[in-house]
Amino acid sequence: MGTDTVRAGSADEAAERRREQRGWYFYDWACSVYSTSVLTVFLGPYLTSVAKNAADADGYVHPLGIPVRAGSFFAYSVSLSVIVAVLVMPLVGAAADRGGRKKPLLAAAAYTGAAATTGMFFLGGDRYLLGGVLLVVANAAQSVGMMLYNSYLPQIAPPEERDAVSSKGWAFGYAAGALVLVANLVLYMGHASFGLSESAAVRVCLASAGLWWGAFTLIPLRRLRDRGSAAEETREPTAPGFRQLAATVRDMRRHPLTLAFLLAYLIYNDGIQTVISQASVYGSEELGLGQSTLIAAVLLVQVLAVAGALALGRIARTHGAKRTILGSLVAWAVILAAGFFLPAGAPVWFFVLASGIGLVLGGSQALSRSLFSHLVPPGKEAEYFSAYEVSDRGMSWLGPLLFGITYQLTGSYRDAIISLVAFFVIGFALLARVPVRQAISDAGNPVPERI
């Protein structure tokens, strides 16, 4: 009878864990539409056009009296949002770990970002400054929310489930991004038949991403559970922004293998983020492809990233997360090499390249997240994931810089795209040297049978 009670308890715990995991997936489903529809497709061109409407005769706007070329306003706003996120994430991460109450902070970040995104509906005429403020708030809030969301992973999934759970989260996000992007494109391309101007259609698309984000965030907030912090009484007071990040990095020095993995991730993820941000420039400027082709390629990447994330998650069950990530880095290098030889004016081959990117994109990111979760000391999940998120978002500048310098020196986008292979080669070499089993053990976590 005692055995039956234990089994019933185990079954109840497993059922509760599955319920919490399903709720966790839905935060990626909620917020990923912001990245896809807002940042990747609509906001950049639209905010630039609004800034140009407000520009003086020389093409400058003057936020806070500072002369800024209208065409650069969007890029500067994104950069400012990264700085804000880097300041806020370590602060929030340490507070979440110290108090053991992540859910109220996740709710605050999510609804701040969703409200700012919904407010983009009002970006008509020459309200470029409002657009810049809303972008900074939404982008920083998304970074903080994703940091808290990621930090739940070690708590809701035991080691043997973590690769699969992380992969499903990414798949949910890409599926939502594809679904909403299809609806947005139908509205945008057929705006006249809906009785809307092109500008109004874009503003509806932007606001719909915020409404989607806010509505579906209710599911994880209902299902995720807060857990008390075991180290609540021994933690030091939270320090401001950069000081807290520095304190986290100093703590990581007691776990050098965790830090070694984070360095490898910083390098190869910089390459991934640069490919994502510069692929459309390569397609339009070097290959001469039209906007409709580029948008269709973005949609294709979103759809195939779902399958890729799930497939690589399954491969990791057999071969381990580290080997699967290493294999994906080889695939990234091969894809970039193939991109160097793409013929101009041939959209079919560009779609083939986009298919390859989609298949490795979600899996390489999902497995990196799950592998890092094994390397985090218990009780410091949010704090360590704040450093992870900073490396994800706050350090993704070296790749675009190398891309730009290579183009400036050679005048060729083909040379610029092939230069990014270096990030995957270096990242591969650094990751291959990390003894992950020892790293997991040193962090004080159980070592999975296959990792």
Side-chain angles (χ1 to χ4, degrees), residues 1-9:
M1 186 170 180
T3 303
D4 292 339
T5 303
V6 170
R7 287 176 179 172

Side-chain angles (χ1 to χ4, degrees), residues 226-249:
D226 274 328
R227 295 157 172 84
S229 173
E232 185 172 345
E233 296 182 0
T234 62
R235 297 299 305 275
E236 297 178 356
T238 302
F242 280 122
R243 285 174 56 197
Q244 181 59 50
L245 179 60
T248 301
V249 173

Side-chain angles (χ1 to χ4, degrees), residues 389-439:
E389 197 71 14
V390 165
S391 70
D392 188 0
R393 299 176 187 271
M395 300 299 291
S396 297
W397 55 269
L398 186 57
L401 178 63
L402 177 62
F403 187 92
I405 290 175
T406 305
Y407 177 75
Q408 182 171 333
L409 293 176
T410 67
S412 168
Y413 282 106
R414 294 184 186 274
D415 291 338
I417 203 76
I418 200 68
S419 70
L420 300 179
V421 170
F423 288 91
F424 298 101
V425 172
I426 296 172
F428 181 99
L430 291 175
L431 178 58
R433 292 172 58 87
V434 178
V436 292
R437 289 185 173 277
Q438 182 182 341

Side-chain angles (χ1 to χ4, degrees), residues 114-152:
T117 306
T118 305
M120 292 176 186
F121 178 79
F122 300 102
L123 299 184
D126 58 358
R127 296 175 180 168
Y128 77 95
L129 193 55
L130 174 63
V133 171
L134 292 176
L135 169 58
V136 169
V137 172
N139 223 30
Q142 192 208 29
S143 296
V144 173
M146 285 301 295
M147 175 267 293
L148 293 165
Y149 163 75
N150 287 338
S151 71
Y152 271 101

Side-chain angles (χ1 to χ4, degrees), residues 55 69 189 195 342 373 425 441:
R69 193 176 292 278
M189 298 179 73
L342 283 186
S373 73
V425 172
S441 178

